[in-house]
Amino acid sequence: MLAKTDFQTARISIKRLWHEMKGIWTKEPSVSDLKNSFEGNRFSGEVRQFYPHGKMIAWQHGSLDEAIAKTKHELKVSNITLFEAAFEHQDLLCLADVVIKEKGMLTLIEARASNSPRILKKDNYEHVYDAAFQHYVMGKCGYTPDKVQLMHINSNGVWPDRHKV
């Protein structure tokens, strides 16, 4: 399966992705990587606080097939908010941070624990590519988002006051 992270790796270096997929090149997470992961998880929890009636799909606690089936089942409801909704098409996998269905309209929200879009020198706007990958996979699954939004931290916010996030 090719997930969003793999897609981003391939955009930077297709050779690196090939080596990672074959297990030839592995990298132990650095202290910085672990910190970023921790902060990202903490931010995800805060994002969920903005949508108190949302439902977590979270495939890590079951099988991926169950998460995909649960996502499809939940999206039959007319108004719902899902966290980590699972979509898979021809070995492309995305776990959407937030999917909101209101009045038949779908909104995909890519939540990022940064205070602005991340820009890479190679082709700019990594976060936009993250959202585009998810939009593509969701669309191929029959759930094309009507809106796509990027959510970032407000740099004036102070933890844990989420009203300033």
Side-chain angles (χ1 to χ4, degrees), residues 9-165:
T9 298
R11 282 186 38 254
I12 296 165
S13 170
I14 194 73
K15 186 174 182 179
R16 176 179 166 183
L17 176 66
W18 186 85
H19 280 94
E20 286 181 4
M21 297 293 249
K22 297 291 183 182
I24 297 167
W25 182 55
T26 59
K27 177 187 168 216
E28 290 295 319
S30 68
V31 172
S32 178
D33 292 336
L34 295 173
K35 176 195 165 287
N36 289 341
S37 178
F38 174 78
E39 291 297 328
N41 289 335
R42 189 167 77 165
F43 179 66
S44 294
E46 285 300 302
V47 168
R48 291 191 291 275
Q49 297 300 314
F50 280 96
Y51 307 99
H53 301 293
K55 292 186 177 183
M56 175 64 81
I57 300 296
W59 77 277
Q60 294 87 352
H61 303 295
S63 78
L64 181 56
D65 290 336
E66 289 172 3
I68 292 167
K70 185 176 178 183
T71 297
K72 287 179 183 178
H73 174 76
E74 295 293 349
L75 285 173
K76 291 178 183 176
V77 176
S78 58
N79 294 314
I80 192 155
T81 299
L82 300 176
F83 307 116
E84 297 182 31
F87 302 92
E88 187 267 333
H89 174 74
Q90 294 182 351
D91 288 333
L92 298 176
L93 171 67
C94 85
L95 301 173
D97 292 329
V98 183
V99 174
I100 300 171
K101 183 177 179 188
E102 287 182 320
K103 300 175 187 169
M105 305 275 287
L106 284 176
T107 301
L108 165 65
I109 300 174
E110 170 66 6
R112 302 307 300 222
S114 63
N115 57 13
S116 64
R118 183 170 176 195
I119 298 173
L120 298 175
K121 290 185 180 187
K122 182 175 181 181
D123 57 9
N124 299 331
Y125 301 110
E126 176 182 338
H127 300 165
V128 173
Y129 282 99
D130 283 349
F133 177 84
Q134 292 175 80
H135 183 278
Y136 176 81
V137 175
M138 286 177 66
K140 289 297 183 181
C141 293
Y143 301 100
T144 303
D146 299 288
K147 290 193 295 187
V148 178
Q149 300 174 340
L150 292 176
M151 176 186 276
H152 295 278
I153 293 174
N154 178 341
S155 60
N156 295 321
V158 178
W159 179 264
D161 185 357
R162 65 181 178 84
H163 298 291
K164 294 182 182 179
V165 174

